Amino acid sequence: MNGNYDFIVIGRGITGNTTAHYIKLLEPTSRVLLVDKYETCCKGNSGKSAEKVRDTLASKVGRALARTSIRQFQEIQKGHDIGLNLMGYLWLMSEEQFEKNQRAIQDMQDNNVRLRIYDSDQLHKNLPQLAYLDAEAKRLGLPEAQLGMLGLDCGSIDPILLTRYHEAKFRELGGEVVGNKEVTGFVLKKDGALTVQEFPDDKVYGVRVNGDLVYADRAVVSAVGAWSGKLLE
């Protein structure tokens, strides 16, 4: 790890590795550093992910992002195992809940989200274990499952395999990965000052890593999720 890069990406989870990979892909001559306090990738939130992917979203922007991601995952899966399995995602609803969400469901169908709707008879025929769940729901005072909505292009993915894929591609492109190096703050002045209150240029010049200053000529990307606030303390 030398003292100057074009881009510094903090965090080796799915966000950090994907960002670093695509920066290097789009700008192959750039010097990109991917740094993390842990020895290997996915030691934070990415490794604890729920591992689910779905395009059944009410937001048009959310649907567009999700569907683009799913298509990209499908392309990656053709040559690299990232644990993608689009087995579907089933929502169970009462008639009241279904009616309440009818507008959103119709909007998804109008925008080519692949859904399959099941009535009560179809649900209980295909899922006989629902009889037990219905009894449990009644005991807990919850509504009975009377309708089902199956998202056909939904399923699961292995976030660790996906992250490793992006990190491997980043390395192949000449990106530099450094582990066991904790970023403890941002460099907010060219002279290395770290005081948040003094932010004269409205720019982050680099990071402090284990006491050393490492500079980024173009951008610093924080991809550490909930831990971002600690870098500003």
Side-chain angles (χ1 to χ4, degrees):
M1 183 172 64
N2 63 47
N4 286 88
Y5 296 86
D6 294 305
F7 300 92
I8 297 173
V9 181
I10 311 164
R12 289 171 64 193
I14 183 59
T15 302
N17 269 287
T18 303
T19 300
H21 176 197
Y22 281 104
I23 288 174
K24 194 64 179 169
L25 191 65
L26 294 170
E27 303 210 20
T29 62
S30 63
R31 298 159 297 162
V32 186
L33 171 67
L34 177 60
V35 59
D36 196 282
K37 67 179 180 180
Y38 296 111
E39 183 178 359
T40 59
C41 68
C42 277
K43 290 296 185 179
N45 286 341
S46 293
K48 304 178 183 72
S49 168
E51 306 179 2
K52 298 297 183 286
V53 294
R54 63 185 179 96
D55 62 351
T56 47
L57 300 167
S59 162
K60 291 184 179 180
V61 173
R63 280 199 303 268
L65 291 171
R67 294 169 79 176
T68 300
S69 296
I70 291 170
R71 285 196 294 268
Q72 181 66 12
F73 296 154
Q74 289 174 309
E75 287 301 311
I76 295 172
Q77 181 68 37
K78 291 177 181 178
H80 304 270
D81 181 21
I82 54 173
L84 182 66
N85 183 5
L86 298 182
M87 81 288 279
Y89 199 117
L90 179 65
W91 278 262
L92 299 175
M93 293 174 270
S94 66
E95 289 183 355
E96 182 180 352
Q97 290 170 327
F98 186 81
E99 287 300 321
K100 184 178 179 180
N101 290 283
Q102 184 58 48
R103 183 174 178 180
I105 294 170
Q106 187 61 55
D107 184 57
M108 286 189 284
Q109 291 176 318
D110 291 343
N111 285 278
N112 300 315
V113 176
R114 297 201 308 142
L115 301 176
R116 186 174 295 160
I117 307 299
Y118 294 95
D119 62 26
S120 181
D121 290 340
Q122 292 169 322
L123 275 180
H124 287 81
K125 179 180 178 180
N126 288 286
L127 296 171
Q129 60 269 41
L130 274 181
Y132 168 77
L133 295 178
D134 287 341
E136 282 293 293
K138 185 176 181 179
R139 185 176 67 83
L140 296 171
L142 299 174
E144 180 184 345
Q146 297 166 307
L147 291 152
M149 182 186 79
L150 178 67
L152 298 174
D153 294 321
C154 307
S156 63
I157 194 169
D158 189 319
I160 296 177
L161 291 179
L162 180 61
T163 303
R164 287 175 178 169
Y165 162 80
H166 283 294
E167 186 166 296
K169 289 297 181 182
F170 174 64
R171 290 177 185 269
E172 288 176 12
L173 293 169
E176 184 175 347
V177 179
V178 176
N180 283 332
K181 297 289 186 180
E182 183 173 5
V183 174
T184 56
F186 296 118
V187 179
L188 304 178
K189 286 184 176 181
K190 289 183 179 179
D191 62 5
L194 289 158
T195 306
V196 174
Q197 289 76 13
E198 300 177 14
F199 211 159
D201 302 325
D202 196 26
K203 178 179 178 180
V204 175
Y205 287 94
V207 296
R208 185 178 290 274
V209 182
N210 288 13
D212 297 323
L213 298 183
V214 185
Y215 289 92
D217 292 339
R218 298 179 62 182
V220 174
V221 180
S222 175
V224 296
W227 286 271
S228 293
K230 293 191 68 174
L231 296 178
L232 294 171
E233 291 178 354

